[in-house]
Amino acid sequence: MTEDWRTCKTLGLLPDQRGRFGSYGGAYAPETLIPALTELELAYEQAKMGPTLRDELPRLLKDYVGRPTPLYPAANLSQLLGAKIYLKREDLCHTGAHKINNALGQALLARDMGKTRIIAETGAGQHGVATATACALVGLKCFVYMGAEDMRRQALNVDRMRLLGAEVIEVASGSRTLKDATNEAMRDWVASVRDTHYVIGSAVGPHPFPMIVRDFQAVIGAEARHQILIQANSLPDIVIACVGGGSNAIGIFTAFLDDPVELIGVEAAGKGLETDAHCATLGAGQPGILHGSLSYLLQDSLGQVGLTHSISAGLDYPGVGPEHAFLMEIGRVRYKSVTDAEALQAASMLAQTEGIIPALESAHAIAAIKGIAAERGKEPLVLVNLSGRGDKDMDTLSSGLSDSDQQ
Amino acid sequence: MSRLDAAFRDARSANRAALICYITAGDGGLRTTVEAACALEDAGADVIELGIPFSDPIADGPTIQSSCQRSIAAGTTPGGVLEAVSLIRKRSSIPLVLMTYHNPVLRYGHARFAADAAGAGVDGTIQTDLPPEEGESWLAESRRCGLDTIFLAAPTTTEARLERVLDVTTGFLYYVSRLGVTGSRTDLPAELAEGVHRVRARSVVPVGVGFGISTADHVRRIAMIADGAVVGSALVKLFAEAVSPADAVRCATTLTSSLAAATHRV
């Protein structure tokens, strides 16, 4: 297996000049947007050398976001599941999830590019809240597109965005979830591209977005690798993260790509992969193009994009970041899925053993620990990205609990 | 000379702009599409654009979004649209251009789609989310099958990019009149003439202008500055409002007649 890890040494150089991770990625966007994507790529390459990303962003991540986030050895959960489990506490970031790492970076970039208006899409509302927060801080006008169904199930985050001064625009078309919110944000951007930056919230979209989002989230893995080497005196055997678009997963995986560490992404199996009601894109999709990049996609035989389901709004998306498609194809990351019921159960388990209420998205990663640890046999060292906290999901969590009480 | 080249040449020699009419294929059923295409030709359309519906049309406004949904719900497939094309081709030699997003074409397979489209009598394609940079494989298959490759230029397209777009564009260049999605508008953008002039000065292929071209007055003004005018949403809207498919074809024919009359340069 060691030789396989070695082939990954070049991964840090991806995407290539055409925005490709192997055959995935690229920029399949309307002509109107192509110049803006080029402008963004140039601005980002320049900013990496300049004070904004070298000094200002790291300072804000420390003083404002609260980084580095703790790496917590979850002793009770470890005992229960027969593994040595460390949780990377992204739920303790300001605004309650890893999304702020990217939103803040992109907001600073947009300001430097002279953009005055920010748009974003959001599913669970965590990226919307993070973007609204970053815009309040940086002084940019913020408009967030959100599916009507998601506004209902993540009502707390809608109120937070509004309090932060953002305008939340309800999207009632199609599935009324993240996919359609992204469609509407793209349509806005086609019309407003001269003064507007689109802060994409996951490692998806046309190049250079998957690269930029990954780079801004890579702080998670960089910190976690350093922390676990000190605290456990060893690299982990396994790193686990949930995958919707895949930004928290790529954020923690990137630091470990060249290490002899097994990486596992956990998709949402919804009501089960045997039903149509899931969003396990890598597990059950085929290559296709949605929202500007070639990746895996849940679609029918004619190329129409399917409707998806997950109890977790943040995972409820038919696409996935192109780098994940590539990492699956070369066998560097293994992708599994867990159901709504398993995720709900994992959320209760974590709450009751460790006193931590995870976001439903992150609960998918927690739910996967048990089976993966069992495959390894002897108490593996497992690092899990706890990407967000569960306050936003209290309605779903409580009704899930009362459903299981009744059964 | 391709059918598209001939259509633009004929329009130019009649001192008028070509009228390019878009309808979403399968909206009202594919039988309606066949009838509509033939009726629009009779009413004065020079080129017919048939939209292959896609579930997530990110460059389209509500009118074409809804028509895509109606068409998909009616069971329209890319293969079905090609069958409709071959039925139209039996009755007409009007240039037929497919407009779609790239995923349905990718899923069908580049080589197979190009061969089947050319075999059915398609003259070219426009794929909204396929810029030249991503078009290598599709371009090769199109060239092999004799399909025109129509690319788009926008007000944001830089001079350097315009060269690149024009390098691979055949048939006509589709100039996007404004920043934004498709859909009827009441006005033309103030900077349109300047934008069209910029691309036309560099283009060896004819320039058609679309997005928001809705009325005979719009067409009249486009005819003074460009080689062709593309009307889409204004026609598609009639399919949503009509009481029956036959009524939709009648209304679309009436509108097309008035648009065609406006293509003459004065």
Side-chain angles (χ1 to χ4, degrees), chain A residues 18 20 28 289 294, chain B residues 4 50 52 78 82 96-152 165 167-172:
Chain A
R18 300 177 56 220
R20 296 269 172 177
Y28 295 86
I289 294 163
L294 173 63
Chain B
L4 276 168
L50 295 177
I52 297 179
L82 295 182
L96 293 166
V97 172
L98 298 178
M99 184 157 189
T100 188
Y101 290 78
H102 192 53
N103 198 49
V105 176
L106 182 72
R107 197 90 176 103
Y108 198 105
H110 287 165
R112 195 163 74 90
F113 190 78
D116 290 357
V122 168
D123 295 288
T125 65
I126 308 169
Q127 296 175 49
T128 315
D129 58 350
L130 188 73
E133 288 84 347
E134 305 294 355
E136 203 175 314
S137 154
W138 176 248
L139 278 165
E141 296 303 336
S142 293
R143 297 285 177 270
R144 209 162 57 80
C145 297
L147 292 174
D148 279 320
T149 47
I150 297 146
F151 284 89
L152 300 101
V165 170
D167 275 347
V168 292
T169 299
T170 64
F172 70 95

Side-chain angles (χ1 to χ4, degrees), chain B residues 49 99 126 150-153 172-176 208-211 230:
Chain B
E49 266 180 32
M99 184 157 189
I126 308 169
I150 297 146
F151 284 89
L152 300 101
F172 70 95
L173 177 73
Y174 192 129
Y175 184 72
V176 176
V209 178
F211 281 47
V230 186

Side-chain angles (χ1 to χ4, degrees), chain A residues 18 20 25-36 38 173-174 179-180 182-184 186-194 207 286-292 294 297 299-306 318, chain B residues 52-61 65 69 72 75-79 101-108 128-134 136 152-158 161 165 176 178-181 191 211:
Chain A
R18 300 177 56 220
R20 296 269 172 177
Y28 295 86
E31 176 60 31
T32 305
L33 296 181
I34 301 285
T38 309
S173 59
K179 180 191 80 156
D180 293 279
T182 308
N183 286 344
E184 283 307 316
M186 290 259 178
R187 289 177 186 126
D188 181 315
W189 204 31
V190 172
S192 63
V193 62
R194 283 196 170 121
H207 179 68
Q286 302 87 25
I289 294 163
L290 179 69
H291 298 145
L294 173 63
L297 185 59
Q299 57 184 323
D300 67 14
S301 61
L302 304 169
Q304 308 294 356
V305 181
Chain B
I52 297 179
F54 179 53
S55 52
D56 296 86
I58 55 166
D60 284 299
Q65 285 172 44
Q69 280 165 11
I72 291 169
T76 306
T77 65
Y101 290 78
H102 192 53
N103 198 49
V105 176
L106 182 72
R107 197 90 176 103
Y108 198 105
T128 315
D129 58 350
L130 188 73
E133 288 84 347
E134 305 294 355
E136 203 175 314
L152 300 101
T156 49
T157 305
T158 58
R161 265 195 70 69
V165 170
V176 176
R178 68 191 78 224
L179 302 187
V181 293
E191 67 282 5
F211 281 47

Side-chain angles (χ1 to χ4, degrees), chain A residues 21-286:
Chain A
F21 304 88
S23 53
Y24 300 103
Y28 295 86
E31 176 60 31
T32 305
L33 296 181
I34 301 285
L37 295 170
T38 309
E39 178 196 358
L40 175 61
E41 189 178 358
L42 285 173
Y44 176 63
E45 292 304 331
Q46 280 173 5
K48 278 203 286 194
M49 308 297 155
T52 303
L53 298 189
R54 289 176 77 116
D55 306 330
E56 189 178 7
L57 180 62
R59 199 166 57 241
L60 284 171
L61 288 176
K62 175 172 171 286
D63 299 338
Y64 185 73
V65 174
R67 305 206 71 91
T69 56
L71 182 72
Y72 168 65
N76 299 337
L77 189 68
S78 296
Q79 196 173 16
L80 186 69
L81 298 181
K84 273 180 271 175
I85 301 164
Y86 283 77
L87 302 177
K88 180 59 175 165
R89 297 292 307 275
E90 291 299 296
D91 61 317
L92 295 178
C93 286
H94 178 44
T95 71
H98 71 291
K99 294 292 185 186
I100 189 77
N101 303 328
N102 167 56
L104 200 51
Q106 286 201 48
L108 295 176
L109 201 53
R111 180 202 63 194
D112 285 3
M113 289 167 69
K115 305 288 183 181
T116 55
R117 179 175 176 272
I118 294 293
I119 54 172
E121 85 296 338
T122 197
Q126 289 302 106
H127 174 60
V129 167
T131 306
T133 299
C135 288
L137 181 70
V138 177
L140 297 164
K141 279 179 293 182
C142 180
F143 299 82
V144 180
Y145 287 90
M146 190 170 188
E149 165 67 12
D150 290 341
M151 286 179 73
R152 186 192 60 74
R153 57 181 168 172
Q154 311 278 214
L156 172 67
N157 276 344
V158 176
D159 292 340
R160 292 169 77 196
M161 286 184 268
R162 287 177 175 152
L163 187 60
L164 289 160
E167 190 175 318
V168 182
I169 303 165
E170 178 172 342
V171 177
S173 59
S175 60
R176 302 150 67 88
T177 61
L178 181 54
K179 180 191 80 156
D180 293 279
T182 308
N183 286 344
E184 283 307 316
M186 290 259 178
R187 289 177 186 126
D188 181 315
W189 204 31
V190 172
S192 63
V193 62
R194 283 196 170 121
D195 69 352
T196 298
H197 175 67
Y198 178 16
V199 178
I200 289 186
S202 195
V204 301
H207 179 68
F209 281 108
M211 171 181 76
I212 291 177
V213 175
R214 175 200 63 195
D215 291 355
F216 284 146
Q217 294 296 1
V219 64
I220 303 172
E223 285 177 7
R225 190 175 184 281
H226 182 70
Q227 289 166 319
I228 203 161
L229 281 172
I230 290 171
Q231 291 177 234
N233 204 22
S234 162
L235 284 170
D237 295 306
I238 305 166
V239 178
I240 304 176
C242 67
V243 177
S247 70
N248 89 80
I250 208 71
I252 197 163
F253 290 166
T254 297
F256 296 97
L257 287 173
D258 290 337
D259 294 325
V261 171
E262 181 172 24
L263 306 176
I264 295 179
V266 183
E267 297 189 300
K271 293 175 180 165
L273 292 192
E274 70 285 0
T275 70
D276 283 338
H278 65 78
C279 42
T281 307
L282 291 163
Q286 302 87 25

